[in-house]
Amino acid sequence: MSSKTERIDDVQGVNELLWELSREAGEVLAVHHSRRQVPGGRLPGFIDRLRTGVSWRTIVPRALLDDPASAAYCRQLHQAGDRHRVTDDSVQQMIVLDRKVAFVPTMPDTRGAGALVIRDPGTVATVADLFERVWTHAVDLETAYPPVLLEHQVQILRLMTTVAKDDIAARELGLSLRTYRRHVASVLAALDVPNRVQAAVVAQRRGWI
């Protein structure tokens, strides 16, 4: 293996080196497949550092947001300055520090795998370019953040996007037309969309209809 590439099979060793290098980095590019945890007790310091102006960008898969704890964690970091975008594309995990050092997994798509630490300028530039290409087409976390609907709101959503007339949908639920339309308005507000057409788009994307 090249002197500019180091293999670390110990996950803890990877995390410690990554943490050490990232504390001094001015720019960090990251792709994560699962919710990452800042090492125990370091989260407040990490968030404080984000607020100093370090450029930190992270890409996560949309499926990660289906887990409420992971989505909340990503949002916490996003609001602190670790700008998150969400992608539907398949892309390997990576971390690039100051465009000088890149971490990639020794075994793709394998949880708990070690990492290759790459310092070769050409290879690091290629990894960083891949990140930028995915970043360009990914969407901001706040836009992609999955709306949360109560069970009865999902039922309303299905009817309002599949039944042509409100009075028919209202009768199916045993509601007055006025009450049904009030529920429709609450669903549109929860989804942050202006009309039923866009509500249907969200519903299809989320698998609700």
Side-chain angles (χ1 to χ4, degrees):
M1 186 170 296
S2 167
S3 61
K4 294 185 178 181
T5 301
E6 176 186 3
R7 180 183 178 120
I8 304 177
D9 291 313
D10 173 33
V11 176
Q12 183 177 350
V14 173
N15 290 336
E16 288 300 323
L17 178 59
L18 183 56
W19 177 252
E20 178 184 347
L21 295 178
S22 64
R23 283 187 302 175
E24 303 299 327
E27 181 190 44
V28 180
L29 314 175
V31 177
H32 294 287
H33 286 182
S34 59
R35 178 163 62 108
R36 79 188 191 278
Q37 290 286 0
V38 173
R42 294 174 175 169
L43 182 57
F46 176 65
I47 289 179
D48 285 343
R49 182 160 184 274
L50 287 173
R51 290 171 175 154
T52 66
V54 58
S55 175
W56 204 301
R57 290 183 287 155
T58 299
I59 298 171
V60 296
R62 189 177 299 277
L64 182 63
L65 303 184
D66 291 335
D67 173 46
S70 295
Y73 190 78
C74 288
R75 200 171 199 181
Q76 180 183 12
L77 296 182
H78 179 75
Q79 291 172 344
D82 177 0
R83 307 308 297 173
H84 279 57
R85 286 192 180 182
V86 180
T87 182
D88 294 311
D89 296 332
S90 176
V91 57
Q92 291 299 326
Q93 297 186 85
M94 66 178 74
I95 298 177
V96 182
L97 307 171
D98 288 332
R99 300 179 187 260
K100 296 179 180 178
V101 183
F103 287 68
V104 298
T106 55
M107 294 291 292
D109 303 318
T110 302
R111 188 175 182 83
L116 296 177
V117 184
I118 304 168
R119 292 180 171 84
D120 175 71
T123 306
V124 174
T126 300
V127 175
D129 182 66
L130 174 59
F131 176 92
E132 295 292 359
R133 289 173 184 271
V134 177
W135 179 266
T136 299
H137 298 289
V139 297
D140 187 85
L141 176 65
E142 294 296 342
T143 303
Y145 200 83
V148 177
L149 296 182
L150 300 175
E151 185 176 347
H152 79 275
Q153 289 179 310
V154 174
Q155 187 177 21
I156 294 289
L157 176 62
R158 288 171 179 158
L159 289 173
M160 64 186 262
T161 54
T162 58
V163 177
K165 295 186 177 181
D166 284 356
D167 57 341
I168 296 175
R171 282 199 302 271
E172 186 170 330
L173 293 173
L175 301 174
S176 69
L177 181 58
R178 186 174 182 177
T179 298
Y180 172 75
R181 285 178 172 167
R182 189 168 64 247
H183 283 303
V184 169
S186 73
V187 169
L188 292 176
L191 296 177
D192 193 26
V193 295
N195 54 55
R196 301 185 192 200
V197 173
Q198 292 195 23
V201 172
V202 173
Q204 289 179 331
R205 189 169 61 227
R206 299 292 300 149
W208 286 324
I209 60 173

